Amino acid sequence: MTESTKEPEKDFNTNEEAISRIRALRKKGADPLSIARKIKEGDRVALSQGITLIESKSPVHQSQARAIIEHCIGTKQDSLRLGITGVPGVGKSTFIERLGKHLTGAGHRVAVLAVDPTSGVSGGSILGDKTRMQELVQDNRAFIRPSPAGDSLGGVARKTREAVILCEAAGYDVIIIETVGVGQSETAVHSMVDFFLLLKLAGAGDELQGIKRGIMEMADAIVINKADGSNLKNAQKARVEFKRALHLFPPKENQWIPEVLTASALEDEGIQQVWDLIGSFASETRASGWFSRKRLEQNKHWLLQTIDEQLKLRFYRNPKIKEALEEQLRLVEENKTSPVTAAYYLLELER
Ligand code: GDP
């Protein structure tokens, strides 16, 4: 996000743009209802404002954001939420840009959001780099928003879920949520999307060993990217190996059999096939009722996550706790109390 000052002024995707508009609005007193109305009319600036309110730590902004979400929730039912993960350098942004261009060319409106908890840890962001997806940024049928910085995974995940609601209300019918395979971020993204895509590279034969089993199990499809030039043969070989490996997993609840495809984002090969596969998944699972059932399941998870996050926030923000926590930490450091006693003491204080 720190990079965004380098962006041309016309790019309303930047946070700075939205932040300055929020400042202007604050002078007048932001009106959540009018922001929500504008979002539903497809106004990108209002959408940016809404997401900035979602990301804000200020309690006033948060209550405005909640009001906007309430107005927007449930307005769009026929969207597709697509999660894309893969290690840095696998080609996620190139792939998303290509796929995005295919989709906007076919009349879709595409929003790209990111879940990148590393932005809070390192101060920089793996996914927030504004030089990514230059073409898609210029496309007025696309909306790209980097991951909110300075947050825990739980915080980023909640904000992204809420941003999805606003994007859908604004008429974006394909929502791509990108994440780097860091920590638990894939699990978080998996819990908020309809289809989960894992991007992989063909490696030197032992590529299966390096992948966390859990990610493979979550994937609805694996795409071996960079299947071009001298890498093409390796990619095709890797495809066979991954297919074989996927067979070892138990069948998915929805009966979907994960597919392995090859693609070259650089040469624009295989991208349409990936989209066709996602289309088959959507129509099959919509017809079986599984698609909407899964979303309702995800909503339950969302509710519980929101409670978890808010309880934690409330706890650590409590001035009484803040003070006592310092003291208890010092006592633990000096070995004068046990971590368990200290924890229960603090939890009791909260009540
Ligand atoms: P990300 O970190 O996963 O977002 O990866 P990027 O999209 O930034 O791509 C990393 C590098 O791989 C860049 O230099 C891209 O040009 C290159 N790249 C991306 N997709 C392909 C592809 O399909 N084929 C080849 N040969 N290179 C690619």
Side-chain angles (χ1 to χ4, degrees):
M1 248 170 286
T2 46
E3 295 284 313
S4 47
T5 42
K6 292 178 197 156
E7 282 295 298
E9 326 72 75
K10 65 178 172 48
D11 177 19
F12 294 140
N13 281 328
T14 62
N15 274 355
E16 277 67 20
E17 172 68 25
I19 287 166
S20 71
R21 275 162 199 270
I22 280 180
R23 284 203 183 109
L25 273 172
R26 199 190 290 147
K27 279 189 196 146
K28 293 189 270 173
D31 171 15
L33 189 64
S34 85
I35 296 180
R37 204 175 292 132
K38 284 193 191 144
I39 290 176
K40 289 195 215 169
E41 286 163 8
D43 182 327
R44 296 156 64 96
V45 179
L47 177 58
S48 280
Q49 285 169 352
I51 298 178
T52 303
L53 287 171
I54 286 173
E55 291 171 358
S56 169
K57 286 196 164 43
S58 133
V60 176
H61 290 166
Q62 283 180 7
S63 78
Q64 288 168 336
R66 275 203 298 279
I68 295 172
I69 294 162
E70 276 313 308
H71 286 297
C72 289
I73 208 156
T75 41
K76 186 89 185 170
Q77 296 294 346
D78 58 353
S79 65
L80 196 121
R81 302 170 186 168
L82 168 64
I84 297 189
T85 192
V87 296
V90 71
K92 288 181 298 303
S93 59
T94 317
F95 184 88
I96 291 171
E97 173 145 88
R98 285 288 186 209
L99 177 63
K101 293 299 287 178
H102 272 253
L103 295 175
T104 59
H108 291 284
R109 296 186 68 209
V110 180
V112 183
L113 305 171
V115 169
D116 178 12
T118 55
S119 60
V121 179
S122 60
S125 160
I126 299 179
L127 298 178
D129 176 357
K130 296 292 289 182
T131 58
R132 306 166 88 239
M133 301 180 218
Q134 287 292 5
E135 259 185 76
L136 205 55
V137 163
Q138 312 283 331
D139 189 331
N140 62 19
R141 299 186 70 83
F143 177 83
I144 302 176
R145 180 82 176 195
S147 189
D151 228 322
S152 64
L153 175 58
V156 180
R158 175 185 59 79
K159 288 167 186 177
T160 307
R161 276 177 198 281
E162 295 177 356
V164 168
I165 299 301
L166 302 201
C167 290
E168 290 176 351
Y172 292 90
D173 63 327
V174 181
I175 316 291
I176 299 178
I177 305 176
E178 177 188 13
T179 193
V180 156
V182 176
Q184 292 298 304
S185 63
E186 317 90 358
T187 314
V189 171
H190 181 252
S191 74
M192 61 178 92
V193 297
D194 307 310
F195 191 95
F196 193 65
L197 185 71
L198 170 63
L199 286 190
K200 286 297 301 170
L201 291 178
D206 61 350
E207 57 255 36
L208 291 176
Q209 292 175 21
I211 318 173
K212 283 183 260 168
R213 192 188 145 91
I215 304 183
M216 289 263 292
E217 209 160 351
M218 282 190 280
D220 295 301
I222 295 176
V223 171
I224 318 288
N225 192 34
K226 305 197 186 182
D228 46 48
S230 58
N231 208 23
L232 183 58
K233 275 216 161 65
N234 278 340
Q236 286 163 343
K237 223 174 87 195
R239 180 181 179 210
V240 177
E241 285 175 31
F242 276 103
K243 262 184 115 117
R244 201 176 299 139
L246 282 180
H247 275 299
L248 302 176
F249 292 120
K252 286 185 184 277
E253 221 182 301
N254 58 2
Q255 309 301 321
W256 174 255
I257 299 166
E259 184 54 271
V260 187
L261 299 173
T262 56
S264 167
L266 206 63
E267 295 184 354
D268 202 357
E269 284 290 333
I271 310 289
Q272 187 59 44
Q273 284 83 336
V274 175
W275 181 245
D276 291 344
L277 182 75
I278 296 169
S280 314
F281 172 90
S283 47
E284 273 180 39
T285 54
R286 278 193 172 115
S288 71
W290 193 85
F291 190 95
S292 49
R293 266 204 313 282
K294 185 179 173 197
R295 282 207 178 173
L296 294 176
E297 278 303 315
Q298 290 178 336
N299 281 349
K300 289 200 285 187
H301 181 72
W302 185 1
L303 181 156
L304 295 174
Q305 260 199 336
T306 308
I307 293 176
D308 278 357
E309 199 210 352
Q310 292 304 316
L311 281 177
K312 251 195 195 166
L313 270 180
R314 203 190 301 167
F315 181 81
Y316 287 111
R317 272 190 191 153
N318 181 337
K320 223 163 60 176
I321 298 293
K322 273 190 191 165
E323 202 186 315
L325 178 61
E326 292 264 318
E327 193 197 350
Q328 294 299 312
L329 283 170
R330 189 173 50 74
L331 292 175
V332 169
E333 195 179 346
E334 292 168 1
N335 210 12
K336 289 185 177 149
T337 184
S338 82
V340 178
T341 308
Y344 280 100
Y345 169 76
L346 291 164
L347 288 166
E348 281 297 321
L349 262 192
E350 228 269 321
R351 289 214 262 167

